[in-house]
Amino acid sequence: MFSTYFELGMLHIADLDAYDHMLFILALIAVYQLIDAKRIIFLVTAFTLGHSLTLAMATLEVVRVNSSYIEFLIPITILITALTNIFRGRNAGRGAMGWKYFLAAFFGLIHGFGFSNYLRALLGKEQDIFVPLLAFNLGVEVGQIIIVLIILIIATLLFQIFRFKHRDWILVISGACSGIAIILAKEAAFW
């Protein structure tokens, strides 16, 4: 049972049909480089903690949120993160990290609601949902770390081999994330 839900968590993050999570992670770490791995892991974990909390609360039906609002808010979190990168550049990843951790956790809360209906349906037959929820969220964390490593390897290759400037990387990645987020928000508009 643990391995099944762990794998589902990893697949949830890597699902190309639900690429909004990967897009958020990409925007979140665009300002960092491989030498910032420790900061990145803490940011991704903060996101996972927020994601896990609302996923658990929604799965247990402690909180119910209109999915239309969530489907709109998820691309807004991507847009805010990407715009912060554009306007603050490399400084978006430096300085006081407390607000970045808080923001990642808060945005994780929003993203957690996005998958809760599906997970609630999966867990509906389980007597004890603690282990499946834990396994799923650990799978999410491991999946995110794998995605982060892939992004950092690509960025490092671009920086070192092709002499791509970090500032250009931030602008290109964050600009693309912003554009996609605007399209997703428009498609998910609930009014």
Short mmCIF file of all heavy atoms in Angstrom, two decimals, residues 27-67:
data_model
loop_
_atom_site.label_atom_id
_atom_site.label_comp_id
_atom_site.label_asym_id
_atom_site.label_seq_id
_atom_site.Cartn_x
_atom_site.Cartn_y
_atom_site.Cartn_z
N ALA A 27 9.28 27.99 -11.84
CA ALA A 27 9.28 29.42 -11.50
C ALA A 27 9.91 29.65 -10.13
O ALA A 27 10.66 30.61 -9.94
CB ALA A 27 7.85 29.98 -11.53
N LEU A 28 9.63 28.77 -9.19
CA LEU A 28 10.13 28.91 -7.83
C LEU A 28 11.65 28.87 -7.77
O LEU A 28 12.28 29.62 -7.04
CB LEU A 28 9.55 27.82 -6.93
CG LEU A 28 9.89 27.87 -5.45
CD1 LEU A 28 9.25 29.10 -4.81
CD2 LEU A 28 9.41 26.60 -4.75
N ILE A 29 12.26 28.02 -8.58
CA ILE A 29 13.72 27.85 -8.48
C ILE A 29 14.50 28.54 -9.59
O ILE A 29 15.73 28.45 -9.62
CB ILE A 29 14.10 26.36 -8.42
CG1 ILE A 29 13.84 25.66 -9.74
CG2 ILE A 29 13.40 25.67 -7.26
CD1 ILE A 29 14.52 24.31 -9.85
N ALA A 30 13.83 29.26 -10.47
CA ALA A 30 14.52 29.89 -11.61
C ALA A 30 15.63 30.84 -11.19
O ALA A 30 16.59 31.03 -11.94
CB ALA A 30 13.50 30.63 -12.49
N VAL A 31 15.54 31.43 -10.03
CA VAL A 31 16.55 32.40 -9.59
C VAL A 31 17.75 31.73 -8.92
O VAL A 31 18.71 32.41 -8.57
CB VAL A 31 15.94 33.45 -8.62
CG1 VAL A 31 14.88 34.27 -9.33
CG2 VAL A 31 15.39 32.80 -7.38
N TYR A 32 17.71 30.44 -8.75
CA TYR A 32 18.77 29.72 -8.05
C TYR A 32 19.66 28.95 -9.00
O TYR A 32 19.29 28.66 -10.13
CB TYR A 32 18.17 28.76 -7.01
CG TYR A 32 17.39 29.48 -5.95
CD1 TYR A 32 16.00 29.50 -5.99
CD2 TYR A 32 18.03 30.16 -4.93
CE1 TYR A 32 15.27 30.17 -5.03
CE2 TYR A 32 17.31 30.84 -3.96
CZ TYR A 32 15.93 30.84 -4.01
OH TYR A 32 15.22 31.51 -3.06
N GLN A 33 20.82 28.59 -8.48
CA GLN A 33 21.76 27.75 -9.21
C GLN A 33 22.07 26.53 -8.35
O GLN A 33 21.63 26.43 -7.20
CB GLN A 33 23.03 28.52 -9.52
CG GLN A 33 22.79 29.70 -10.45
CD GLN A 33 24.07 30.42 -10.80
OE1 GLN A 33 25.07 29.79 -11.14
NE2 GLN A 33 24.06 31.73 -10.71
N LEU A 34 22.84 25.63 -8.92
CA LEU A 34 23.17 24.38 -8.23
C LEU A 34 23.81 24.62 -6.86
O LEU A 34 23.56 23.86 -5.93
CB LEU A 34 24.09 23.54 -9.12
CG LEU A 34 24.26 22.07 -8.78
CD1 LEU A 34 22.92 21.36 -8.68
CD2 LEU A 34 25.13 21.39 -9.82
N ILE A 35 24.57 25.68 -6.72
CA ILE A 35 25.21 25.96 -5.42
C ILE A 35 24.19 26.31 -4.34
O ILE A 35 24.52 26.30 -3.16
CB ILE A 35 26.27 27.07 -5.53
CG1 ILE A 35 25.63 28.38 -5.99
CG2 ILE A 35 27.40 26.67 -6.43
CD1 ILE A 35 26.55 29.58 -5.88
N ASP A 36 22.97 26.62 -4.74
CA ASP A 36 21.90 26.97 -3.81
C ASP A 36 21.02 25.77 -3.46
O ASP A 36 19.89 25.94 -3.01
CB ASP A 36 21.02 28.07 -4.41
CG ASP A 36 21.78 29.34 -4.72
OD1 ASP A 36 22.50 29.82 -3.83
OD2 ASP A 36 21.65 29.83 -5.86
N ALA A 37 21.53 24.57 -3.66
CA ALA A 37 20.72 23.35 -3.51
C ALA A 37 20.04 23.27 -2.14
O ALA A 37 18.86 22.90 -2.06
CB ALA A 37 21.58 22.11 -3.74
N LYS A 38 20.72 23.64 -1.09
CA LYS A 38 20.12 23.56 0.25
C LYS A 38 18.91 24.48 0.37
O LYS A 38 17.86 24.07 0.86
CB LYS A 38 21.18 23.93 1.30
CG LYS A 38 20.73 23.73 2.72
CD LYS A 38 21.87 24.04 3.68
CE LYS A 38 21.43 23.94 5.12
NZ LYS A 38 22.50 24.25 6.06
N ARG A 39 19.04 25.71 -0.11
CA ARG A 39 17.90 26.64 -0.09
C ARG A 39 16.73 26.10 -0.91
O ARG A 39 15.58 26.22 -0.52
CB ARG A 39 18.30 28.00 -0.66
CG ARG A 39 19.15 28.81 0.24
CD ARG A 39 19.46 30.13 -0.40
NE ARG A 39 20.21 30.95 0.53
CZ ARG A 39 20.35 32.23 0.43
NH1 ARG A 39 19.83 32.88 -0.60
NH2 ARG A 39 21.03 32.91 1.31
N ILE A 40 17.07 25.55 -2.05
CA ILE A 40 16.03 25.03 -2.95
C ILE A 40 15.27 23.88 -2.28
O ILE A 40 14.04 23.83 -2.34
CB ILE A 40 16.64 24.58 -4.28
CG1 ILE A 40 17.24 25.77 -5.03
CG2 ILE A 40 15.61 23.87 -5.14
CD1 ILE A 40 18.13 25.39 -6.18
N ILE A 41 15.99 22.97 -1.66
CA ILE A 41 15.34 21.83 -1.01
C ILE A 41 14.40 22.33 0.08
O ILE A 41 13.27 21.85 0.22
CB ILE A 41 16.38 20.84 -0.43
CG1 ILE A 41 17.24 20.24 -1.55
CG2 ILE A 41 15.70 19.74 0.39
CD1 ILE A 41 16.48 19.50 -2.63
N PHE A 42 14.84 23.32 0.86
CA PHE A 42 13.98 23.88 1.91
C PHE A 42 12.74 24.54 1.30
O PHE A 42 11.64 24.42 1.84
CB PHE A 42 14.74 24.88 2.79
CG PHE A 42 15.63 24.23 3.80
CD1 PHE A 42 16.97 24.61 3.89
CD2 PHE A 42 15.18 23.23 4.65
CE1 PHE A 42 17.81 24.02 4.82
CE2 PHE A 42 16.01 22.63 5.58
CZ PHE A 42 17.34 23.02 5.67
N LEU A 43 12.90 25.24 0.18
CA LEU A 43 11.75 25.87 -0.48
C LEU A 43 10.76 24.82 -0.98
O LEU A 43 9.55 24.96 -0.79
CB LEU A 43 12.21 26.72 -1.66
CG LEU A 43 12.62 28.14 -1.37
CD1 LEU A 43 13.17 28.80 -2.64
CD2 LEU A 43 11.49 28.95 -0.80
N VAL A 44 11.28 23.80 -1.63
CA VAL A 44 10.42 22.75 -2.16
C VAL A 44 9.72 22.02 -1.02
O VAL A 44 8.53 21.70 -1.11
CB VAL A 44 11.25 21.78 -3.04
CG1 VAL A 44 10.48 20.53 -3.38
CG2 VAL A 44 11.70 22.49 -4.30
N THR A 45 10.42 21.80 0.08
CA THR A 45 9.82 21.14 1.24
C THR A 45 8.75 22.02 1.86
O THR A 45 7.70 21.52 2.28
CB THR A 45 10.91 20.76 2.27
OG1 THR A 45 11.83 19.88 1.63
CG2 THR A 45 10.31 20.08 3.49
N ALA A 46 8.98 23.34 1.91
CA ALA A 46 7.94 24.25 2.42
C ALA A 46 6.69 24.15 1.56
O ALA A 46 5.57 24.10 2.08
CB ALA A 46 8.47 25.69 2.45
N PHE A 47 6.87 24.10 0.25
CA PHE A 47 5.74 23.94 -0.67
C PHE A 47 5.03 22.62 -0.38
O PHE A 47 3.80 22.57 -0.30
CB PHE A 47 6.23 23.98 -2.12
CG PHE A 47 5.15 23.71 -3.12
CD1 PHE A 47 4.25 24.70 -3.47
CD2 PHE A 47 5.03 22.46 -3.71
CE1 PHE A 47 3.25 24.45 -4.40
CE2 PHE A 47 4.03 22.20 -4.62
CZ PHE A 47 3.14 23.21 -4.97
N THR A 48 5.79 21.54 -0.22
CA THR A 48 5.21 20.22 0.04
C THR A 48 4.44 20.21 1.35
O THR A 48 3.37 19.60 1.44
CB THR A 48 6.30 19.12 0.06
OG1 THR A 48 6.99 19.14 -1.18
CG2 THR A 48 5.69 17.75 0.28
N LEU A 49 4.97 20.86 2.38
CA LEU A 49 4.27 20.91 3.66
C LEU A 49 2.91 21.60 3.52
O LEU A 49 1.90 21.11 4.03
CB LEU A 49 5.13 21.60 4.71
CG LEU A 49 6.35 20.81 5.18
CD1 LEU A 49 7.22 21.67 6.10
CD2 LEU A 49 5.95 19.51 5.85
N GLY A 50 2.89 22.73 2.82
CA GLY A 50 1.61 23.41 2.58
C GLY A 50 0.68 22.53 1.76
O GLY A 50 -0.51 22.39 2.07
N HIS A 51 1.21 21.95 0.71
CA HIS A 51 0.45 21.05 -0.16
C HIS A 51 -0.12 19.88 0.64
O HIS A 51 -1.29 19.54 0.52
CB HIS A 51 1.41 20.56 -1.25
CG HIS A 51 0.80 19.73 -2.32
ND1 HIS A 51 0.62 18.38 -2.20
CD2 HIS A 51 0.33 20.08 -3.55
CE1 HIS A 51 0.08 17.91 -3.32
NE2 HIS A 51 -0.10 18.93 -4.16
N SER A 52 0.70 19.31 1.51
CA SER A 52 0.29 18.15 2.32
C SER A 52 -0.82 18.51 3.30
O SER A 52 -1.75 17.74 3.50
CB SER A 52 1.49 17.60 3.10
OG SER A 52 2.50 17.20 2.23
N LEU A 53 -0.69 19.69 3.89
CA LEU A 53 -1.67 20.12 4.89
C LEU A 53 -3.06 20.26 4.28
O LEU A 53 -4.03 19.69 4.78
CB LEU A 53 -1.24 21.44 5.53
CG LEU A 53 -2.17 22.00 6.60
CD1 LEU A 53 -2.28 21.05 7.79
CD2 LEU A 53 -1.66 23.36 7.06
N THR A 54 -3.17 20.98 3.17
CA THR A 54 -4.51 21.14 2.58
C THR A 54 -4.99 19.86 1.92
O THR A 54 -6.18 19.59 1.90
CB THR A 54 -4.55 22.30 1.56
OG1 THR A 54 -3.50 22.14 0.62
CG2 THR A 54 -4.45 23.64 2.25
N LEU A 55 -4.06 19.08 1.40
CA LEU A 55 -4.46 17.80 0.82
C LEU A 55 -5.08 16.91 1.89
O LEU A 55 -6.13 16.30 1.68
CB LEU A 55 -3.24 17.12 0.20
CG LEU A 55 -3.47 15.96 -0.74
CD1 LEU A 55 -4.40 16.33 -1.88
CD2 LEU A 55 -2.14 15.49 -1.30
N ALA A 56 -4.47 16.89 3.06
CA ALA A 56 -5.02 16.10 4.17
C ALA A 56 -6.35 16.67 4.64
O ALA A 56 -7.32 15.92 4.83
CB ALA A 56 -4.02 16.06 5.34
N MET A 57 -6.42 17.99 4.84
CA MET A 57 -7.66 18.60 5.33
C MET A 57 -8.80 18.42 4.34
O MET A 57 -9.93 18.13 4.73
CB MET A 57 -7.44 20.09 5.63
CG MET A 57 -6.57 20.32 6.83
SD MET A 57 -6.44 22.04 7.41
CE MET A 57 -6.56 23.04 5.98
N ALA A 58 -8.51 18.56 3.05
CA ALA A 58 -9.56 18.40 2.05
C ALA A 58 -9.95 16.93 1.90
O ALA A 58 -11.13 16.62 1.73
CB ALA A 58 -9.08 18.96 0.71
N THR A 59 -8.98 16.04 1.98
CA THR A 59 -9.27 14.61 1.87
C THR A 59 -10.13 14.14 3.03
O THR A 59 -11.04 13.33 2.87
CB THR A 59 -7.96 13.80 1.79
OG1 THR A 59 -7.21 14.26 0.65
CG2 THR A 59 -8.25 12.33 1.62
N LEU A 60 -9.84 14.66 4.22
CA LEU A 60 -10.61 14.31 5.41
C LEU A 60 -11.92 15.12 5.51
O LEU A 60 -12.68 14.96 6.45
CB LEU A 60 -9.78 14.56 6.67
CG LEU A 60 -8.57 13.65 6.83
CD1 LEU A 60 -7.68 14.15 7.96
CD2 LEU A 60 -9.00 12.21 7.08
N GLU A 61 -12.13 15.97 4.53
CA GLU A 61 -13.31 16.84 4.44
C GLU A 61 -13.45 17.78 5.63
O GLU A 61 -14.55 18.13 6.05
CB GLU A 61 -14.57 16.01 4.22
CG GLU A 61 -14.53 15.25 2.90
CD GLU A 61 -15.79 14.49 2.60
OE1 GLU A 61 -16.73 14.47 3.43
OE2 GLU A 61 -15.86 13.90 1.51
N VAL A 62 -12.30 18.20 6.18
CA VAL A 62 -12.28 19.23 7.23
C VAL A 62 -12.56 20.59 6.59
O VAL A 62 -13.23 21.43 7.16
CB VAL A 62 -10.91 19.25 7.95
CG1 VAL A 62 -10.80 20.42 8.90
CG2 VAL A 62 -10.68 17.92 8.67
N VAL A 63 -12.05 20.76 5.36
CA VAL A 63 -12.22 22.00 4.61
C VAL A 63 -12.68 21.65 3.21
O VAL A 63 -12.18 20.70 2.61
CB VAL A 63 -10.89 22.78 4.53
CG1 VAL A 63 -11.03 24.03 3.69
CG2 VAL A 63 -10.37 23.11 5.90
N ARG A 64 -13.62 22.42 2.72
CA ARG A 64 -14.07 22.27 1.32
C ARG A 64 -13.94 23.63 0.64
O ARG A 64 -14.36 24.64 1.19
CB ARG A 64 -15.52 21.81 1.25
CG ARG A 64 -15.71 20.35 1.52
CD ARG A 64 -17.11 19.94 1.04
NE ARG A 64 -17.29 18.52 1.12
CZ ARG A 64 -17.01 17.69 0.11
NH1 ARG A 64 -16.56 18.16 -1.01
NH2 ARG A 64 -17.19 16.41 0.26
N VAL A 65 -13.33 23.61 -0.54
CA VAL A 65 -13.16 24.83 -1.31
C VAL A 65 -13.65 24.56 -2.72
O VAL A 65 -13.41 23.49 -3.27
CB VAL A 65 -11.67 25.26 -1.33
CG1 VAL A 65 -11.48 26.49 -2.17
CG2 VAL A 65 -11.16 25.50 0.08
N ASN A 66 -14.33 25.54 -3.28
CA ASN A 66 -14.81 25.42 -4.65
C ASN A 66 -13.63 25.20 -5.58
O ASN A 66 -12.71 26.01 -5.64
CB ASN A 66 -15.57 26.70 -5.01
CG ASN A 66 -16.21 26.62 -6.37
OD1 ASN A 66 -15.69 26.00 -7.29
ND2 ASN A 66 -17.35 27.27 -6.50
N SER A 67 -13.63 24.11 -6.31
CA SER A 67 -12.50 23.77 -7.19
C SER A 67 -12.30 24.80 -8.29
O SER A 67 -11.18 24.96 -8.78
CB SER A 67 -12.67 22.37 -7.76
OG SER A 67 -13.82 22.30 -8.57
#
